[in-house]
Amino acid sequence: MRTTISVLKADIGGYVGHSTMHPDIMDLAGSVLEKKKEDGFLVDYRVLSCGDDLQLIMTHTHGVDFEDLHKMAWDIFSDCADKAEEIGLYGAGQDLLADSFSGNIKGMGPGVAEMEFDERPSEPILIFMADKTSPGAWNLPLFRMFGDAMCNPGLILDPKIHDGFSFDVLDMKHNKSIRFNMPEDMYDALVFIGSIEDYGIRAIYRKKDNEIAAVASTQRLAMMAGRYVGKDDPVMICRAQNGFPSVGEITEPFSHPHLVTGWMRGSHIGPIMPVAFEDAQCMRFDGPPRVICAGFQVKNANLIGPVDMFDDPAFDKARSTANEIADYLRRHGPFEPHRLSLGDMEYTTLPIVMEKVKDRFKSLD
Ligand code: F6R
Ligand code: MG
Ligand code: MG
């Protein structure tokens, strides 16, 4: 049986400010999805939140990029934005860039990660959701899961994945993609995927049979809108075990709270903190950036779970390191590299200030 998992997410309004999601919004989304499940349009669904982002996790048999499903999600996000406005939540409709739906939700604001596969007899799936960061945040952990034997011993020890994986990398600023095979293209790939504001890993395939292993959302809101409209808080789906990295090889990269772009005003660098669902609330300096991981077994497209994968004391050290890094970086105030460089900031007063002071610059030539 071909099963499709679709994770569609949007910031449709925050509570309080940009910190979390209001429960009434989640209830509204859940009630629509429940009807769609009863009608047989969806097999199963879950509604989760990470920070101020509403996460719709859906399983069905319609394949990826299915127009009716994208339209349904768009309508849910729009109704939730109306509700957010009615309650008085902050930034209602923030990620909904278009006035009406036009065929595919990609390019309209919400983030999308979808994959279709033939279910194995047992299909463990991990869904990662992050807030206050952008798609390049997944580059380092995806590399470590699928390309780095220092993190994933299965690449050495398991004949089923010993051949390696193929990385589909998107040039996010020029909308072009390229495939890199690991390990043979590793050094070439790292030239690009190390640039987290420019290149994002879109998908990963098992090299020997091109079987889908992971997909990530790579939508960049600011690029679509041509102005600041919020950050592109990303999601990704990974398949685990038996021909893929194990669950623990997939969660292991998050034991290191690596630096990502985003945080306050989408204009800073900060550590990404792996947290339990209930701690996915961005309260300090609008962050620090958070990541949650929902684990499922999928059977006949039914979702068994979620298990809250970072609700584990083994990630306490990563959390405390993230807090230490946050303190250290915050002491830089508005100075780089805590604050992003001028070109990568989501907000900037540069044109206004430059206009104001331009006559005071004296040429020294
Ligand atoms: C970052 C984020 C927040 C806001 C900040 C200012 O992705 O959502 O840090 O950028 O709170 O928000 P506005 O401009 O809405 O007042
Ligand atoms: Mg927001
Ligand atoms: Mg957000």
Side-chain angles (χ1 to χ4, degrees):
M1 163 179 173
R2 295 290 281 177
T3 294
T4 310
I5 301 189
S6 300
V7 182
L8 278 71
K9 51 82 44 187
D11 176 344
I12 51 73
Y15 170 58
V16 170
H18 294 280
S19 55
T20 77
M21 166 70 36
H22 194 283
D24 290 0
I25 301 290
M26 297 178 68
D27 290 347
L28 175 59
S31 65
V32 179
L33 293 176
E34 181 60 32
K35 268 203 208 84
K36 293 288 177 184
K37 181 176 169 178
E38 282 163 14
D39 294 350
F41 180 73
L42 296 177
V43 179
D44 210 351
Y45 72 90
R46 294 289 183 275
V47 178
L48 295 177
S49 65
C50 182
D52 58 0
D53 291 295
L54 177 63
Q55 309 281 348
L56 309 180
I57 298 173
M58 298 166 284
T59 53
H60 53 96
T61 52
H62 308 297
V64 303
D65 287 327
F66 183 54
E67 182 170 341
D68 291 357
L69 185 118
H70 283 208
K71 164 100 174 63
M72 177 198 71
W74 176 261
D75 290 343
I76 292 173
F77 291 138
S78 303
D79 291 349
C80 287
D82 290 346
K83 177 93 182 164
E85 196 165 1
E86 185 190 311
I87 307 174
L89 300 181
Y90 188 69
Q94 177 184 291
D95 285 0
L96 308 184
L97 300 184
D99 296 329
S100 58
F101 182 74
S102 63
N104 187 310
I105 206 163
K106 283 181 196 158
M108 299 179 67
V112 181
E114 298 183 287
M115 61 160 70
E116 184 186 15
F117 50 78
D118 285 317
E119 271 184 31
R120 296 167 291 164
S122 175
E123 187 68 56
I125 295 280
L126 298 179
I127 300 178
F128 293 86
M129 294 153 266
D131 190 37
K132 302 295 181 279
T133 183
S134 52
W138 300 139
N139 287 7
L140 184 150
L142 280 172
F143 169 67
R144 299 206 69 208
M145 293 168 201
F146 292 95
D148 179 7
M150 294 296 280
C151 176
N152 179 351
L155 295 169
I156 311 168
L157 304 177
D158 181 353
K160 295 198 204 75
I161 60 174
H162 186 70
D163 286 344
F165 290 89
S166 174
F167 286 47
D168 178 353
V169 174
L170 177 70
D171 174 342
M172 294 186 282
K173 293 190 174 156
H174 304 102
N175 205 29
K176 292 191 283 193
S177 73
I178 179 169
R179 281 269 198 135
F180 291 108
N181 289 331
M182 301 289 188
E184 58 271 33
D185 293 335
M186 182 185 299
Y187 295 159
D188 289 343
L190 284 166
V191 171
F192 297 97
I193 64 176
S195 273
I196 59 175
E197 283 288 274
D198 294 272
Y199 295 90
I201 299 167
R202 266 204 312 185
I204 294 181
Y205 300 86
R206 192 164 54 201
K207 207 167 59 193
K208 68 174 173 205
D209 56 4
N210 214 32
E211 183 66 21
I212 188 75
V215 288
S217 62
T218 41
Q219 286 74 37
R220 301 246 18 214
L221 275 171
M223 303 219 170
M224 292 171 206
R227 64 190 156 85
Y228 176 77
V229 280
K231 232 11 202 185
D232 327 285
D233 306 319
V235 290
M236 71 172 166
I237 311 172
C238 300
R239 298 172 77 186
Q241 307 286 155
N242 195 18
F244 300 104
S246 70
V247 165
E249 286 161 346
I250 290 174
T251 55
E252 177 64 7
F254 293 95
S255 64
H256 167 61
H258 63 288
L259 296 177
V260 299
T261 56
W263 206 350
M264 175 59 80
R265 295 181 184 272
S267 301
H268 291 81
I269 282 176
I272 190 161
M273 185 189 278
V275 290
F277 297 166
E278 65 172 7
D279 293 323
Q281 316 197 78
C282 293
M283 315 281 211
R284 179 186 176 188
F285 198 59
D286 288 359
R290 306 291 153 114
V291 56
I292 58 172
C293 176
F296 295 96
Q297 290 292 149
V298 178
K299 188 69 184 173
N300 299 327
N302 285 292
L303 291 165
I304 320 301
V307 171
D308 184 352
M309 302 299 293
F310 291 142
D311 184 11
D312 175 355
F315 289 99
D316 283 351
K317 181 84 188 305
R319 294 187 266 267
S320 104
T321 305
N323 276 327
E324 264 173 49
I325 297 168
D327 281 343
Y328 174 82
L329 286 170
R330 282 301 303 125
R331 289 200 289 271
H332 293 75
F335 289 83
E336 296 177 18
H338 179 34
R339 201 215 67 195
L340 296 182
S341 63
L342 289 172
D344 282 331
M345 281 193 295
E346 300 288 352
Y347 288 64
T348 179
T349 45
L350 178 68
I352 301 167
V353 177
M354 186 55 98
E355 184 56 32
K356 194 172 86 181
V357 302
K358 68 175 193 293
D359 296 334
R360 287 159 53 191
F361 276 98
K362 303 271 176 271
S363 172
L364 300 181
D365 294 334

